[in-house]
Amino acid sequence: MSACTSTEDRIPRTPTAELRPEEFLRALYHFHGRALLQFAARRLQGDWHRAEDLLQEVAIRALRHAGELDPTTDSARPWLFTVLRNLVIDDLRARQARPAETGDPELAHPQVSDDVDHMLTSQVLFEALWDLQPRQREVLLHVHYLGRSVNQTALVLGVPPGTVKSRTFYASRALREALYSRGLYADGRYRDAG
């Protein structure tokens, strides 16, 4: 018995040729997966995702040679490590042969605005405004749409400036809730429907 496996680690032995593919792969990963993965990750400068991909390729190739390999013993390790080493070298060479991939952060999430999007947002805003009380809608139109100051709005509406401030606060909050309930965020984006 090898030094790496104890009697409780051994899978009940079926001749290797008789192992079903899932049993063969389970045994391969159980006995050799961690060592192979660490080896690949070290060679790939800590890129665990690429190491996992290469380990899967080793497993596929080992499965093709299931009649010759016993995944429950250390005798399969030299073959497995040789295949993995060659795959790592091939992967590194392939990555060096092509230019480095760079991403433009602005292209990752392009903000495309068109007339239809603007029209839909305007329609949602218009509908949300009609959810407000008439006094709230009136104060928002004066302060935000007409660009009047609190004092100017107070003079036009004939109410104290404190009342304009209060109505503006509550109207803004009610409008934000009405827009959110319609699926529109503060920055003009719609929530994902899914």
Side-chain angles (χ1 to χ4, degrees):
M1 183 177 300
S2 70
C4 291
T5 58
S6 64
T7 53
E8 58 269 0
D9 285 340
R10 293 191 59 80
I11 294 176
R13 185 84 197 317
T14 312
T16 310
E18 294 177 20
L19 284 177
R20 293 192 322 251
E22 59 273 5
E23 292 171 340
F24 180 89
L25 291 174
R26 191 175 298 116
L28 180 98
Y29 276 96
H30 178 76
F31 287 101
H32 309 289
R34 183 180 305 173
L36 291 167
L37 186 61
Q38 289 174 348
F39 174 82
R42 276 194 310 270
R43 297 290 189 271
L44 296 168
Q45 290 82 36
D47 189 340
W48 288 92
H49 295 289
R50 282 182 23 221
E52 289 171 349
D53 291 343
L54 294 180
L55 178 58
Q56 288 177 1
E57 180 63 29
V58 169
I60 291 169
R61 291 183 184 193
L63 189 58
R64 291 183 196 145
H65 296 275
E68 306 159 25
L69 295 172
D70 182 358
T72 63
T73 66
D74 285 338
S75 64
R77 279 204 178 189
W79 187 89
L80 294 169
F81 274 96
T82 300
V83 170
L84 182 58
R85 191 183 110 257
N86 291 338
L87 288 172
V88 167
I89 290 169
D90 290 347
D91 183 73
L92 291 173
R93 285 180 182 161
R95 290 185 182 277
Q96 289 173 353
R98 67 176 186 233
E101 297 174 8
T102 60
D104 187 354
E106 291 188 20
L107 292 178
H109 302 288
Q111 294 292 325
V112 179
S113 180
D114 58 6
D115 292 334
V116 174
D117 188 41
H118 180 70
M119 183 183 70
L120 290 174
T121 303
S122 298
Q123 180 65 31
V124 170
L125 179 61
F126 182 75
E127 290 173 3
L129 277 170
W130 283 105
D131 283 355
L132 303 179
Q133 296 174 6
R135 287 195 237 162
Q136 291 176 332
R137 188 171 44 249
E138 182 180 46
V139 78
L140 284 181
L141 290 174
H142 282 281
V143 172
H144 292 293
Y145 183 70
L146 298 174
R148 292 186 172 146
S149 69
V150 171
N151 289 333
Q152 290 170 336
T153 303
L155 283 174
V156 170
L157 298 179
V159 295
T163 302
V164 171
K165 288 180 186 178
S166 175
R167 286 183 189 170
T168 303
F169 172 78
Y170 288 110
S172 297
R173 188 170 72 179
L175 181 61
R176 186 172 30 255
E177 290 172 5
L179 290 171
Y180 186 80
S181 71
R182 286 173 168 78
L184 191 67
Y185 284 121
D187 62 0
R189 290 183 300 117
Y190 285 97
R191 286 193 315 247
D192 290 332

